[in-house]
Amino acid sequence: MKLLNGLELVEYISERQAKQLRTLRQSYNLVPKLVILHTNRTEEFNNFIKLCKKQADDILIEIETINVSQDMTLDTISKLNADATINGIYVYYPIGQNTDTTEVFNAIDIRKEVSGLAENSNFDATVPLSIDWLLAGYNIDLKGKNIVIVGQDNSICFPLFKRWQDSGLLVQVTNNNAQNFTELISNADVLVTASNVPDFIKPAMIKPNIVIIDVGLNTDQYGHVGDISQAVRQLPEIKITPETDGLWPLAVCALFDNVIRAAQKYSKAIS
């Protein structure tokens, strides 16, 4: 087994970001501010925020979290859009039941919509971008590979599918309720899981030498666990992200990259 550890790339990216932020402070007296909206404070959200704040403290980005009810989300976004001290607005997904997520993301000022999930966003979707960074960092070429994405997450699965499909890659999206699920998984050269169903990918489902990106953000009595079973993680001929500190620190870097770009554009606008 070879671990695809995003932490090995985070230090390099954070050094670059720290230099960019130093320039913003010295030239424009600007410390970028990111506001993260959420409607449901889960343990997964708490873990995400801890990671964001830890990395933000290292490179000096200001972060504020706001807990809003579903019916106040659009009003809150409108107020944040008008606040010139805020450079980035990120809505933590999911946004509760019966919410038009497209409407929510599209309501964010296009200059501040740093998740990359609005229809006309200026930025790359953060998790798909971080997955590309991870694969490039380990020299994994996707051309000619059979790629399967598992899950229905509108912030990960479908933006990633579109990104890779637009690049001419052979990619399919499925979920664990699909009739041909096992067949698709068994033929995959590259597997990305974001189903948030703990430990449901078993050894019998996959073939040797597969590349697995486990984006599952699940919590059990032992802490954070992914979608991939421990038995799979013991297989010798696979490449896989670790359960903890695998992809998500890199995804936070991708988010901060978007915030920095938003602040740079703002600084040029006011100079």
Side-chain angles (χ1 to χ4, degrees):
M1 177 190 66
K2 179 177 178 57
L3 284 179
L4 306 175
N5 194 341
L7 277 179
E8 294 185 356
L9 307 176
V10 165
E11 183 176 355
Y12 167 77
I13 295 171
S14 294
E15 287 179 2
R16 168 177 60 78
Q17 291 177 340
K19 291 178 182 177
Q20 293 172 313
L21 290 164
R22 192 177 307 119
T23 298
L24 285 171
R25 291 194 303 273
Q26 294 174 347
S27 300
Y28 302 99
N29 194 30
L30 174 60
V31 176
K33 181 176 180 179
L34 168 66
V35 173
I36 300 176
L37 294 179
H38 63 101
T39 58
N40 188 14
R41 197 174 189 95
T42 62
E43 188 62 30
E44 288 77 18
F45 172 79
N46 290 336
N47 291 337
F48 173 73
I49 292 302
K50 286 178 184 177
L51 187 58
C52 284
K53 289 186 174 180
K54 179 181 182 301
Q55 292 184 211
D57 288 344
D58 289 341
I59 62 175
L60 297 183
I61 282 181
E62 184 180 351
I63 291 183
E64 178 183 355
T65 61
I66 300 178
N67 189 351
V68 295
S69 60
Q70 284 180 250
D71 58 351
M72 288 301 295
T73 301
L74 294 178
D75 286 341
T76 303
I77 287 173
S78 179
K79 292 176 183 178
L80 297 175
N81 285 342
D83 188 339
T85 67
I86 295 169
N87 302 105
I89 302 170
Y90 182 89
V91 179
Y92 184 82
Y93 186 90
I95 316 170
Q97 297 179 344
N98 303 319
T99 300
D100 185 342
T101 56
T102 300
E103 181 184 15
V104 170
F105 292 125
N106 288 346
I108 301 172
D109 185 324
I110 200 70
R111 297 167 296 182
K112 302 182 180 186
E113 195 284 301
V114 291
S115 69
L117 297 175
E119 290 177 319
N120 298 309
S121 180
N122 293 327
F123 304 99
D124 291 309
T126 55
V127 176
L129 177 60
S130 67
I131 291 173
D132 275 351
W133 282 353
L134 182 68
L135 294 172
Y138 283 95
N139 296 313
I140 295 173
D141 188 357
L142 298 181
K143 291 179 181 177
K145 301 292 178 61
N146 185 20
I147 305 167
V148 176
I149 300 170
V150 179
Q152 297 175 305
D153 191 315
N154 287 327
S155 67
I156 300 172
C157 299
F158 296 108
L160 179 61
F161 170 77
K162 186 178 186 306
R163 182 184 182 90
W164 282 352
Q165 188 181 58
D166 289 348
S167 298
L169 298 173
L170 177 62
V171 55
Q172 300 175 81
V173 178
T174 187
N175 63 74
N176 53 323
N177 295 318
Q179 287 186 341
N180 63 341
F181 174 76
T182 301
E183 179 183 356
L184 285 175
I185 298 297
S186 65
N187 289 317
D189 301 307
V190 177
L191 176 65
V192 180
T193 66
S195 67
N196 291 333
V197 179
D199 299 335
F200 87 102
I201 301 291
K202 308 297 184 183
M205 297 179 179
I206 62 173
K207 65 182 183 181
N209 301 311
I210 192 172
V211 173
I212 301 177
I213 309 296
D214 187 353
V215 194
L217 196 59
N218 314 300
T219 302
D220 66 7
Q221 66 269 32
Y222 303 110
H224 171 245
V225 295
D227 295 342
I228 306 299
S229 72
Q230 290 300 319
V232 170
R233 293 183 174 277
Q234 303 307 313
L235 297 176
E237 296 179 350
I238 65 169
K239 297 177 181 178
I240 189 170
T241 52
E243 277 189 298
T244 59
D245 297 332
L247 183 71
W248 284 102
L250 207 54
V252 171
C253 282
L255 172 59
F256 289 167
D257 241 34
N258 288 349
V259 175
I260 292 168
R261 285 177 56 202
Q264 288 171 331
K265 290 180 180 179
Y266 174 75
S267 67
K268 291 177 182 177
I270 63 175
S271 62

